[in-house]
Structure formats: structure tokens, C-alpha cells
Amino acid sequence: RAESDTTRFTWGDFKTGIASPGLVSASRDLYGAELRYRSAAVTGNGDPRVEATLYAAQPDTLPQRDVLRGTGGSVYFLTRQDITGGSTSAQIQITDPDTGRIVQTIQLTEGTDYAIDHLQGVITLSKPLSWYTNESGAVGDRTGGYDQSLLVQYEYTPTDVDVDSVVLGGRAVAWVGDHIRIGATAMREQTDTGTQTVAGADARFEFGRQSYAEVEVVRSSGPGFTRSTSTDGGLTIISTGGADNGPAMAGGFDGYFDFEDLGVGAPGHVSFYGERKEAGFWSVAEDITDDQYVFGGEIEVEASERVTLGVEAERFETDAGETRTELGARMAYALDEQWTVTLGTQYLDQVTPGDPAETGTRLNAGAKLAWAPNEDLTLYTFGQYTVKRSGGLGDDNRIGVGAE
């Protein structure tokens, strides 16, 4: 290894850790050449004004990507055994089960958040992982909120084939002033099964303490990432992906505007997002079979010290004829510093081709009572009732208790 104050060159083992804002990510443990550059000049927030990573390798291992749905437990079985030591990258991925949109990604640290048995291929989380996140509002259209999955990427040495591949990639980021960031990402992997490439560009505008707007465009081609999925902790594995696809595009945008940053009097925010993916586009966690798009947003405002109002909307549509429109409104009233009651309604209009039982409209209303004795714990009880419905959608009446 050779390095200076701004540049580091490595010939040996390294981890790529390439990631764009949302549509592209890949982490591999490789042996080859890596060049990293971080400019001495920094922005007002302390970020390097220019940062770049380039790498090239001819690995003798193969990558494996496992998507393991949370089960409520801590122990998960990986697809492979005899995993290359130090090659594991794990994260919790929170997704919308209806649209596939990635809502949040939480990176995990080995030794703190999880432990792994490389010989047996078993990963143990420090905390149990539920299969869903809790609904934050008074009424919801599903039992839980979003799906939670454990995404594990690692390297292994196959015993039945000779590995003959070439891997190239990199990412560069530059700041224009203190508020605009421009980035570019590219990866190429050539194997016996084909050549896969992915390239993208992104931009981000930041202002105030929390507000930002971000846009990203990505192009993929080739067989894509082969991955294994499981809904029972790895006891049953299904392999997906790896189909040879032509070039396909995907794009996305999202933003969050805090009212204080905008100079609006009442505390609150406006958030929005959108994604458009062509058939044949692939990423680490999904393969798109039909052109699709999703967009939505939320407005929340603190009308007074006790009252918070919110509205939200989302629209999802595919070229195969599947559509889903959700509209919601809520009002939260703080009884005191610990007790809060929330009232809400949600309207769903859904079309699922070939499935009359999942096609129709439904209007739900509900209430939620929450008690927060401290900042780390909230206990709540809730109930909701289907006021009106049509088509094949059934009633969604339920009551329950929970903690978060």
C-alpha cells in the first residue's frame, strides 16, 4: 500500500463498498488494485470537495447475495458455507411490499450488530429482526407497515467450477459550493455466463438544516445479480435473478423540505419521492419484469403545541395493468407529555389483473392511543374499521397492541 494525505493505492485485499443514493449498490471483498482519492479541500460541513474510488480485480471467488425476510428471530442460515473471511456485508433493507420501493437501508457492523460463522454459513443478529415495521399512524392497509429483510453479500470459493472473471468499477463525487453534490457510479463484471454492467449519475441539493432534493438515473445490462431469497430464515432457499437482459433504464427522485428551512411559520415538512423502472432493469435486490412507476408524498404540520395534522398519497402502476392508489389523512392530539391520541382515515383503490379478490376499493377509519414513558419506549393500542368497500377487497377490521 502507498498513500499520501489525499491519495491511497492498494494492491491486495480491499472491499469495494460502492453505493449510489438508492438504485445502485454492490459490496465485494476483492484482491486486486484499488485507488482512492479525497481532496484536502472540504465543504462547510466537512465533506471532501472531491472524492473518488476506482478498482480492478480478477477474483478467484464468486459473490453471493442473500435476501432473508425477517422472521422475528436472530439466527439466519446463508445459502453458502465456507465463506471467505472478512467478505461479509450485511444491512437491513426496509421496502414497500406493494411497490418494491426501498424506504430505508440500515448498514450493520460485524462484531457489534451481528456475528457470523464462516464455516457453517450462519449469521446471528444482536437483536431480533421482525418481518415488518410498525405502522406509525392510526390506520393502515396491512398488518404491518413495511417489509424488513436482512440483505447479506459475501464471497465464497466454488468447488465445482473454475472462476474466470474480471471486475472493474468506481464512484466519484464532487461538491459545487456547499450545497450541490454531483456523483457518478459504474461497475462492470465479466464472467463465463456473460458481462453485466451498471452505470448511473446522481445529484443532490441541500439547504438549511434538514432539507434536500435528490435525483438519480441508472442504466443496467447483462444477466444481473443472482440472489437467493428466503422467508423462513434460510431454511428454504429460492434462487432468482441472473436472466440475460438487454439495456434498461431506471430513475428516481426524492426530497424533504423542512418548513423552518423554508421560512414557513408553523413547524412541519413536505416530502416526496418517485421512481421509474423499465422492464429488464436489475439491482442487488430485484428484477423488474414490467415497466413500472411509483410516486408519492406527505405533508405534516404542527397546527399547535398539541395538534399535528398530516396527509399522504401514493400511486403505483405497471404496464401489465396493475395499479394501486393510496390516500391518507391523520390528526394527532397530545393529551400531555406522555399520552397521544391519533385519528386517521385511509382510502385504497387497487387493480390486480387476474385476481378479483385483490381488486376494488376500501375506506378505513381508525384510532390509536400511545403512551411514551421515555424517549426509548412507546406502548400503544389501536383499532380500525372498514367504513366502505367495493369489488373483491375484504374488510380490514382489527384491533391490537404494540411497542416501538
Side-chain angles (χ1 to χ4, degrees):
R1 174 183 293 183
E3 59 183 303
S4 65
D5 292 339
T6 59
T7 307
R8 187 184 74 188
F9 175 78
T10 301
W11 180 270
D13 295 318
F14 63 90
K15 189 181 290 289
T16 59
I18 297 295
S20 69
L23 295 173
V24 180
S25 66
S27 178
R28 291 198 61 181
D29 190 75
L30 300 172
Y31 181 89
E34 181 197 42
L35 179 66
R36 290 182 178 268
Y37 173 78
R38 292 168 62 96
S39 67
V42 298
T43 66
N45 294 325
D47 298 310
R49 289 206 169 273
V50 179
E51 190 171 7
T53 300
L54 299 173
Y55 62 87
Q58 285 186 292
D60 56 4
T61 60
L62 290 177
Q64 176 67 38
R65 299 165 177 88
D66 293 349
V67 182
L68 308 171
R69 181 74 179 275
T71 62
S74 301
V75 179
Y76 295 84
F77 298 92
L78 303 178
T79 303
R80 308 289 180 177
Q81 297 178 340
D82 292 331
I83 297 169
T84 303
S87 68
T88 306
S89 173
Q91 56 187 221
I92 295 174
Q93 197 170 77
I94 301 174
T95 58
D96 187 316
D98 300 307
T99 67
R101 183 176 68 90
I102 299 175
V103 178
Q104 185 181 8
T105 298
I106 304 172
Q107 192 68 41
L108 303 182
T109 302
E110 184 174 357
T112 302
D113 301 314
Y114 68 93
I116 184 167
D117 185 329
H118 296 89
L119 183 63
Q120 298 296 325
V122 179
I123 185 170
T124 304
L125 302 179
S126 60
K127 298 180 180 178
L129 179 63
S130 173
W131 65 276
Y132 66 90
T133 60
N134 293 321
E135 289 279 5
S136 60
V139 59
D141 186 58
R142 54 184 79 93
T143 304
Y146 296 110
D147 289 350
Q148 290 194 129
S149 298
L150 177 64
L151 175 61
V152 187
Q153 303 180 69
Y154 54 92
E155 301 284 322
Y156 73 98
T157 302
T159 58
D160 54 347
V161 296
D162 292 328
V163 179
D164 183 16
S165 63
V166 177
V167 179
L168 305 171
R171 175 164 172 79
V173 172
W175 285 88
V176 180
D178 289 338
H179 304 291
I180 300 176
R181 187 194 70 193
I182 300 173
T185 305
M187 293 178 288
R188 177 183 177 89
E189 183 171 338
Q190 183 176 348
T191 65
D192 293 337
T193 60
T195 300
Q196 58 185 27
T197 62
V198 58
D202 56 89
R204 180 183 176 95
F205 174 62
E206 298 180 349
F207 62 96
R209 295 187 303 109
Q210 303 182 69
S211 301
Y212 71 90
E214 196 165 52
V215 63
E216 180 180 16
V217 179
V218 178
R219 178 184 185 272
S220 71
S221 65
F225 294 115
T226 301
R227 73 192 65 84
S228 298
T229 61
S230 176
T231 58
D232 57 9
L235 298 176
T236 304
I237 298 290
I238 299 176
S239 295
T240 58
D244 193 5
N245 298 318
M249 300 291 295
F253 66 86
D254 72 280
Y256 182 95
F257 295 159
D258 186 271
F259 286 169
E260 292 184 4
D261 295 337
L262 297 175
V264 179
H269 69 266
V270 176
S271 62
F272 54 87
Y273 58 86
E275 287 184 355
R276 177 76 166 89
K277 300 174 182 177
E278 293 180 348
F281 178 79
W282 50 260
S283 67
V284 172
E286 65 179 347
D287 293 281
I288 303 302
T289 56
D290 299 295
D291 289 1
Q292 66 178 49
Y293 72 84
V294 58
F295 63 88
E298 176 190 60
I299 301 175
E300 183 175 282
V301 59
E302 295 183 19
S304 67
E305 292 184 356
R306 292 181 177 269
V307 178
T308 301
L309 305 175
V311 295
E312 57 191 8
E314 181 179 82
R315 170 72 175 179
F316 174 72
E317 184 173 329
T318 73
D319 280 1
E322 181 181 359
T323 64
R324 182 182 179 91
T325 301
E326 288 184 275
L327 304 172
R330 63 186 182 277
M331 180 187 73
Y333 181 78
L335 301 174
D336 55 32
E337 293 183 355
Q338 296 183 335
W339 291 90
T340 302
V341 60
T342 304
L343 306 176
T345 61
Q346 186 179 64
Y347 173 76
L348 171 66
D349 186 347
Q350 179 174 289
V351 176
T352 306
D355 192 351
E358 292 297 323
T359 298
T361 64
R362 182 166 58 211
L363 176 64
N364 292 336
K368 176 181 178 181
L369 178 64
W371 175 54
N374 54 62
E375 294 182 355
D376 299 324
L377 176 65
T378 300
L379 304 176
Y380 62 87
T381 181
F382 69 92
Q384 75 174 45
Y385 177 75
T386 298
V387 178
K388 184 179 181 181
R389 66 181 179 87
S390 67
L393 292 180
D395 291 335
D396 191 15
N397 304 322
R398 47 193 164 94
I399 58 175
V401 296
E404 57 186 20

